[in-house]
Amino acid sequence: MPYSTLFPVSAAEWERRLLAMHGAIDTDEFIDAVFELLQGTVKCDFALANLRNVDGVPLLARDSLGREFGPEYMERFFTANPSVAYVMMRPGLRVLHTKDHLPPEEKLRTMPFYTDFMQPENWRHSVALLFWGFFPPVPQNAFCVFRSADQPDFDDDDLSRLRQVHPHIATALKRLKKQLKTRSADDRISTLLDWDLRITHQNASARKLAALWQGRAHESLPRQFELPEELLKTCESMKTEWLSTMRESPQKHLLSRRSVPHPTLPGLRAEITVVMQQDSVLAHPGFIVCLEDGATTSKPLRPEITMLTPAEREAVELAAEGLPNPEIAARLGISVAAVKLRLHGAFKKLNVRNRTELAAAWRR
């Protein structure tokens, strides 16, 4: 019987793995579920995930054997990989088989791609499932399956089953990204900093909590609000750590996080993450600073309030305090027109007719 005539698992088990992938609620759970699904679709030695811009992490690469591949490693991998040019000439390609673009065995064994990557990682045959974003010429995400040189290549039956599973993974990936984006909009109150600790983005909630951290919560907030000194010092420390890691072990996974509690306010804390902000993995990273106030975020919202977007809740809270629209606009760093738009949406959702009823609904 040919090597890959049958699925490696039963139909019931394959369906269970498919449902587990569609039910994944975070990136790690999703990747592990895809690995199980792929290994239940074709026989392979291991599978690899290569994801970009998922859950705030610009590059994530790891395989089913537990190996992680840092940005510098992946940069060298793509530079040496002859499949890159092949894929760039075929935007929208979904399934890539190594034999479609690699040279004959004699020439392949002399190439840096074989000696530096294929041979050390113990694989000779592979198939990549490619998932394109809005900006070709390269796929944004990929999952790959691999076999060693002592095993037969993937055949037409394997490729057919992988083509069938591709839309399932694409749908689950799209759902996960949307879910993570929504969760980020609701829960992650963030400031983005570049390598020189200059603010490149800061949402209104982040400005509000940064002011609370520094005891300036009642001031009108500019569009960018400086971060507390202790958080900037933590970023400086993480920069030093990043540079040291790059010198000692360039292939190490470079994502790192630190949690900084407020010295006197219980529940108020900052989580700082080092992230690569550009597609070029040789560039210096930046920082995401997420401020969280456990004293308020831990309280459940009333059912009617959950209908409001986070932006609408910010505006309603200030309006309930009696602030006029210009003052609300100054506090949130937005225009007066934007304040009116948010309050109008809240009026409709809460079924109130004026600011007095709005304040009563907020306090009720």
Side-chain angles (χ1 to χ4, degrees):
M1 182 177 292
Y3 181 78
S4 58
T5 297
L6 301 175
F7 277 78
V9 298
S10 67
E13 173 60 16
W14 188 88
E15 197 168 309
R16 184 197 68 78
R17 297 185 185 192
L18 180 67
L19 292 174
M21 177 190 69
H22 283 292
I25 61 174
D26 60 46
T27 306
D28 287 336
E29 184 181 353
F30 173 75
I31 290 174
D32 291 338
V34 173
F35 285 163
E36 286 200 5
L37 181 65
L38 290 174
Q39 291 168 328
T41 302
V42 296
K43 292 182 179 180
C44 59
D45 291 336
F46 65 94
L48 170 75
N50 184 359
L51 305 181
R52 289 181 179 272
N53 301 315
V54 177
D55 202 16
V57 181
L59 176 64
L60 191 158
R62 67 177 178 90
D63 66 19
S64 57
L65 301 178
R67 297 176 294 192
E68 294 186 347
F69 305 92
E72 191 273 344
Y73 176 92
M74 295 308 299
E75 177 78 1
R76 293 190 296 108
F77 178 92
F78 288 122
T79 300
N81 193 341
S83 68
V84 172
Y86 182 89
V87 171
M88 289 177 67
M89 295 293 292
R90 295 163 176 81
L93 180 68
R94 292 187 174 188
V95 178
L96 175 68
H97 192 184
T98 46
K99 75 175 185 179
D100 291 339
H101 62 278
L102 292 182
E105 188 75 14
E106 299 75 22
K107 183 178 180 180
L108 174 65
R109 290 180 177 272
T110 66
M111 297 176 63
F113 184 65
Y114 180 86
T115 58
D116 294 348
F117 299 98
M118 296 177 67
Q119 196 171 32
E121 302 299 342
N122 191 30
W123 65 273
R124 171 61 183 84
H125 314 292
S126 73
V127 179
L129 303 184
L130 308 176
F131 304 89
W132 298 75
F134 293 106
F135 304 102
V138 294
Q140 191 173 36
N141 305 291
F143 283 92
C144 309
V145 290
F146 299 88
R147 288 179 184 166
S148 59
D150 59 355
Q151 294 182 355
D153 198 353
F154 295 91
D155 60 21
D156 289 340
D157 287 336
D158 292 316
L159 295 177
S160 176
R161 292 199 297 276
L162 289 171
R163 289 190 182 97
Q164 291 176 26
V165 82
H166 183 284
H168 289 286
I169 299 175
T171 298
L173 180 59
K174 183 178 180 180
R175 176 198 58 79
L176 178 69
K177 285 187 173 183
K178 183 177 181 180
Q179 183 182 60
L180 293 174
K181 184 178 180 180
T182 301
R183 189 185 308 164
S184 175
D186 288 343
D187 300 330
R188 307 304 290 174
I189 301 170
S190 60
T191 299
L192 302 184
L193 305 173
D194 63 14
W195 177 252
D196 296 319
L197 305 186
R198 294 172 299 197
I199 295 175
T200 59
H201 169 77
Q202 188 178 57
N203 63 25
S205 296
R207 295 195 296 272
K208 184 176 179 180
L209 284 183
L212 176 63
W213 187 296
Q214 299 178 64
R216 300 167 58 185
H218 297 294
E219 296 183 15
S220 296
L221 304 183
R223 186 163 292 276
Q224 290 184 355
F225 195 86
E226 61 185 14
L227 287 178
E229 187 65 23
E230 54 264 48
L231 300 187
L232 294 177
K233 289 181 178 178
T234 301
C235 291
E236 289 286 359
S237 174
M238 296 174 77
K239 285 173 60 173
T240 302
E241 180 181 286
W242 186 90
L243 290 171
S244 176
T245 300
M246 283 294 292
R247 286 193 295 267
E248 297 173 5
S249 180
Q251 296 186 18
K252 187 176 180 181
H253 189 57
L254 299 177
L255 176 66
S256 62
R257 291 189 177 94
R258 286 191 190 175
S259 183
V260 183
H262 190 276
T264 59
L265 295 177
L268 185 59
R269 69 184 184 89
E271 185 179 84
I272 303 176
T273 306
V274 176
V275 294
M276 299 303 298
Q277 296 194 99
Q278 304 178 28
D279 286 339
S280 172
V281 297
L282 300 180
H284 284 143
F287 300 85
I288 298 178
V289 181
C290 295
L291 293 168
E292 299 177 356
D293 185 4
T296 59
T297 57
S298 61
K299 297 178 182 178
L301 292 173
R302 297 180 298 281
E304 66 270 24
I305 299 302
T306 60
M307 296 187 296
L308 304 181
T309 67
E312 289 170 343
R313 289 200 292 267
E314 286 181 330
V316 170
E317 181 180 9
L318 295 176
E321 295 175 5
L323 272 64
N325 288 347
E327 180 62 18
I328 295 175
R331 290 280 190 99
L332 299 181
I334 60 177
S335 67
V336 174
V339 172
K340 292 179 179 179
L341 185 63
R342 295 182 185 185
L343 293 179
H344 178 70
F347 279 16
K348 293 180 63 177
K349 292 178 181 179
L350 298 178
N351 193 26
V352 297
R353 295 170 294 180
N354 52 52
R355 296 169 79 98
T356 302
E357 292 182 3
L358 183 69
W362 177 259
R363 298 189 180 110
R364 189 166 50 241

